[in-house]
Amino acid sequence: MRVVATGAAATLAGTAAVAVGAAPAAAADQPDAAFLAPYYSELDLTGDRQVTTADLEVLADALGTGTRSKGWHEVAVADTDGDGEITVADLADLSQRMVYDDGPFDLVEASVVDMQAAMNAGVTTSVEITQDYLDRIDAYDRTLVDPAEDGRPLASIISTSDLALDRAAEADAERAATGMTSMLLGVPVAVKDNYNTVDMPTTAGCGCWDDNLTTDDATMVAGLRDAGAVVMAKASLDEFAYGFSSQFTSYQAAGETTYVASPYDTSRTAGGSSGGTGAAIAANLAGIGFGTDTGGSIRVPSSYNQLVGVRPTVGLASRDGIVPLALSQDTGGPMTRSVTDAAVALDAVVGVDENDPVTARQEGLVPESYTAYLDADALDGARIGYVPSMLGSNATTTRLWAEAVETFESLGAEVVEIEAPEAFATVLAEGSGSTPEFRHDLAEYVEAYLAPEVEARTLPEIVDTGRFVTSRQRTYERRAAVTEEEYEAWAGPDGSHTQLLAMGKELVTGMLDEAELDALVYPSGNPYRTQGRNLRLSPNTGMPSVTVPMGQAIPADGTIDGAGVNLEFLGRDFDEGSLLGLTYSFEQATGARTAPALYGEIAP
């Protein structure tokens, strides 16, 4: 996809007035545009922090202006070739900084920037994009596409919104009236079905909660809507986010269970617990996605499905209105096909929320926009640390790790082997709070949000319905039996888990500081498997991590041909921006993501 102003470039030799379809409005009518990566904002001449036709007109009027000319300082930033004169070449370069593309638009693998460029040019609309995604869901999600004997449908979507097209039409009207007010304006989004949404039930993957239509959106969903996104679908998940296999019972008869499939190999799981989000975004059934992560539930399906996944610092994004698993470690975050999309998505969901007091920690620590960190040279001069014991011995993973090290070094990064303190193993060994915390935290959600029509309001009542993953009955019963005293001993102010998390944060931050590291890096997993206890590092410290595709298995590895493996970058609290910059640099150098061949364009 060309993100260029082709209509503008065609007029360079003639008039400065450019016909740009639904291009952004003039600067005087524009709100602040703190949502564009530097490439799309650094040459702004009109003060609205984006390049629009108004900027092209200013520069066209300045053609021939030189360093000694009056007004040079007003246009000097656009002298991109540095020859001391504004020329047609500079005007052409400026035109390429517009989020505008009047060429053909291809939905498959389209980025947020691609969508905005096409909508700004009038090539497509949010209504058309949303309808196309709904058509793809209808054609692909519950249809057996894989001809293999053990192939399965994706089953990645639980429900879609009857209001999606109306919301898309509203976004189109906003664009027509005021221009591109957000990089998410009109972009269709799928959220894991444990996020409250007023227009779709929130089942948490359980048939026992099919009627849970809440009266409020989750705070993160509200942020997406405020940014103009079209919350189009609810993605399937491992029931109540219990595990990594992504089996759910929503809208099924008692005793029936469905597994989410990976679009790369439908005989295998999409991972979990955010497996539906992983499969849907990988198969291009929505523009961007959101999952939740307690012990790996964003990063496992991101690795299995070759996506970028962000597990934010606990306290960056509010958990209010999300069905909890263990609030000591729960957090929501984006799952996308690119780092740019992840940065744009994260911008919409951060903020202090009085309904989730832990978010008060972020005060003064959140940048204006995470897109400002997207620099292809971010790895130049960076110090990247790794702990050898976290690499494992899988043939695919170790080969891809060696290639990643070569990439780091070729980009100017220093790769540093770290000798982990003895307590590091203790941090990795700490278990999830999903058993000792679930009953307590779920009860708080039930009291605050569960629709009155839902009769199954406790774990024993859920079991009594028979409409749950029945193979997990003992898990439900064990979690129901946890007493308040056991909960406090684990997650209370002086609880063992609370103390371990604090120790883990201090220890790993110290490791980063002592070695002057920008990030600690390790494989998120192996082909369709996890790697040791690597996934525990981020939740057991509360520190942020970003996982990004590293490559795929090849026949010579002797593992699972074509299976994806991700590389995870962990950093200091609230340093998501730096992590996104480093992963963007790695992504731009490697281009490791591949699209699933089974889910291309819909056949006419």
Side-chain angles (χ1 to χ4, degrees):
M1 169 65 72
R2 299 164 297 128
V3 185
V4 296
T6 53
T11 70
L12 295 181
T15 176
V18 183
V20 291
D29 299 325
Q30 281 289 337
D32 284 348
F35 50 78
L36 293 174
Y39 179 82
Y40 301 109
S41 60
E42 62 192 358
L43 301 186
D44 167 45
L45 301 175
T46 56
D48 63 351
R49 294 188 286 178
Q50 59 182 312
V51 175
T52 69
T53 54
D55 299 282
L56 295 180
E57 292 170 359
V58 169
L59 201 63
D61 287 342
L63 285 171
T65 299
T67 55
R68 296 184 179 180
S69 303
K70 181 181 179 180
W72 169 251
H73 69 281
E74 296 175 0
V75 294
V77 68
D79 178 26
T80 53
D81 58 13
D83 65 355
E85 182 181 1
I86 299 302
T87 66
V88 170
D90 297 318
L91 189 56
D93 193 10
L94 185 67
S95 74
Q96 294 182 41
R97 307 302 180 97
M98 290 179 64
V99 182
Y100 177 94
D101 187 353
D102 60 3
F105 174 70
D106 185 358
L107 187 72
V108 175
E109 294 296 291
S111 70
V112 166
V113 175
D114 294 335
M115 294 180 210
Q116 294 298 343
M119 288 189 286
N120 285 342
V123 171
T124 188
T125 65
S126 177
V127 168
E128 291 172 351
I129 291 174
T130 302
Q131 185 62 64
D132 287 347
Y133 277 130
L134 290 170
D135 290 344
R136 288 182 63 81
I137 292 171
D138 186 59
Y140 280 146
D141 192 56
R142 298 301 174 104
T143 303
L144 181 59
V145 174
D146 190 346
E149 183 178 349
D150 51 359
R152 295 181 287 141
L154 290 179
S156 67
I157 299 295
I158 287 179
S159 60
T160 57
S161 173
D162 292 338
L163 300 178
L165 294 173
D166 293 337
R167 298 289 182 261
E170 292 169 4
D172 288 334
E174 180 174 336
R175 187 183 307 273
T178 60
M180 184 181 67
T181 54
S182 160
M183 281 295 285
L184 285 179
L185 181 63
V187 174
V189 175
V191 300
K192 187 175 181 178
D193 198 16
N194 57 353
Y195 285 75
N196 285 355
T197 49
V198 296
D199 51 346
M200 293 170 279
T202 300
T203 73
C206 187
C208 63
W209 278 15
D210 284 351
D211 297 325
N212 183 31
L213 188 60
T214 61
T215 57
D216 296 294
D217 286 325
T219 299
M220 290 176 66
V221 172
L224 291 167
R225 295 198 203 271
D226 287 346
V230 177
V231 181
M232 178 190 73
K234 304 293 287 291
S236 47
L237 68 153
D238 200 275
E239 187 173 87
F240 284 111
Y242 271 16
F244 291 162
S245 62
S246 280
Q247 52 182 317
F248 66 97
T249 59
S250 307
Y251 303 108
Q252 299 172 66
E256 293 183 1
T257 297
T258 296
Y259 286 81
V260 184
S262 167
Y264 295 91
D265 181 346
T266 66
S267 68
R268 299 183 183 276
T269 177
S273 62
S274 308
T277 306
I281 301 306
N284 289 274
L285 304 189
I288 61 172
F290 276 82
T292 60
D293 191 304
T294 305
S297 293
I298 284 174
R299 294 159 294 144
V300 170
S302 292
S303 189
Y304 288 11
N305 298 290
Q306 302 185 39
L307 298 175
V308 176
V310 180
R311 179 189 158 87
T313 308
V314 174
L316 182 66
S318 172
R319 286 86 51 87
D320 183 57
I322 298 176
V323 181
L325 179 59
L327 285 173
S328 67
Q329 297 172 307
D330 285 352
T331 186
M335 299 169 65
T336 61
R337 294 182 290 270
S338 70
V339 176
T340 298
D341 287 0
V344 169
L346 193 59
D347 275 346
V349 298
V350 302
V352 176
D353 179 10
E354 64 180 12
N355 291 322
D356 186 0
V358 72
T359 59
R361 297 180 58 232
Q362 70 181 261
E363 194 74 54
L365 300 175
V366 177
E368 187 175 23
S369 175
Y370 288 103
T371 62
Y373 290 85
L374 303 182
D375 181 359
D377 296 324
L379 280 165
D380 189 9
R383 283 175 59 85
I384 302 299
Y386 74 97
V387 176
S389 62
M390 300 181 76
L391 301 180
S393 59
N394 181 275
T396 296
T397 304
T398 54
R399 173 180 60 81
L400 291 173
W401 167 254
E403 293 175 3
V405 170
E406 291 180 1
T407 298
F408 288 146
E409 293 176 342
S410 72
L411 295 174
E414 182 179 359
V415 181
V416 183
E417 181 177 326
I418 301 299
E419 182 177 350
E422 184 176 345
F424 186 73
T426 302
V427 174
L428 289 179
E430 177 76 353
S432 166
S434 55
T435 291
E437 296 177 54
F438 182 62
R439 183 195 63 78
H440 174 278
D441 294 345
L442 185 70
E444 292 187 349
Y445 173 90
V446 167
E447 182 178 358
Y449 296 112
L450 192 66
E453 293 81 5
V454 179
E455 296 180 358
R457 309 184 76 82
T458 66
L459 296 184
E461 289 171 350
I462 288 172
V463 171
D464 287 345
T465 69
R467 300 188 64 214
F468 68 103
V469 177
T470 53
S471 62
R472 293 178 177 169
Q473 181 167 339
R474 292 187 65 182
T475 300
Y476 275 93
E477 292 170 346
R478 185 166 62 252
R479 293 179 179 183
V482 173
T483 66
E484 193 64 19
E485 290 74 21
E486 289 171 322
Y487 167 82
E488 288 293 332
W490 168 268
D494 298 316
S496 61
H497 187 61
T498 304
Q499 294 179 30
L500 185 284
L501 298 187
M503 184 272 283
K505 186 187 298 292
E506 181 178 1
L507 178 78
V508 177
T509 302
M511 291 169 61
L512 292 170
D513 291 346
E514 182 177 350
E516 299 180 325
L517 300 178
D518 294 283
L520 194 64
V521 178
Y522 45 89
S524 286
N526 295 314
Y528 289 111
R529 284 188 174 86
T530 56
Q531 164 52 39
R533 298 188 66 83
N534 290 4
L535 293 166
R536 303 301 310 163
L537 188 59
S538 179
N540 287 350
T541 60
M543 298 163 69
S545 67
V546 179
T547 185
V548 64
M550 180 166 58
Q552 299 80 37
I554 59 176
D557 295 337
T559 56
I560 303 171
D561 291 357
V565 176
N566 273 24
L567 191 62
E568 189 163 335
F569 292 63
L570 179 133
R572 297 168 180 82
D573 274 9
F574 301 106
D575 201 18
E576 284 81 358
S578 295
L579 295 179
L580 288 164
L582 296 172
T583 52
Y584 178 80
S585 182
F586 182 78
E587 173 195 62
Q588 296 303 297
T590 60
R593 172 174 162 78
T594 64
L598 290 170
Y599 298 92
E601 297 287 351
I602 300 174

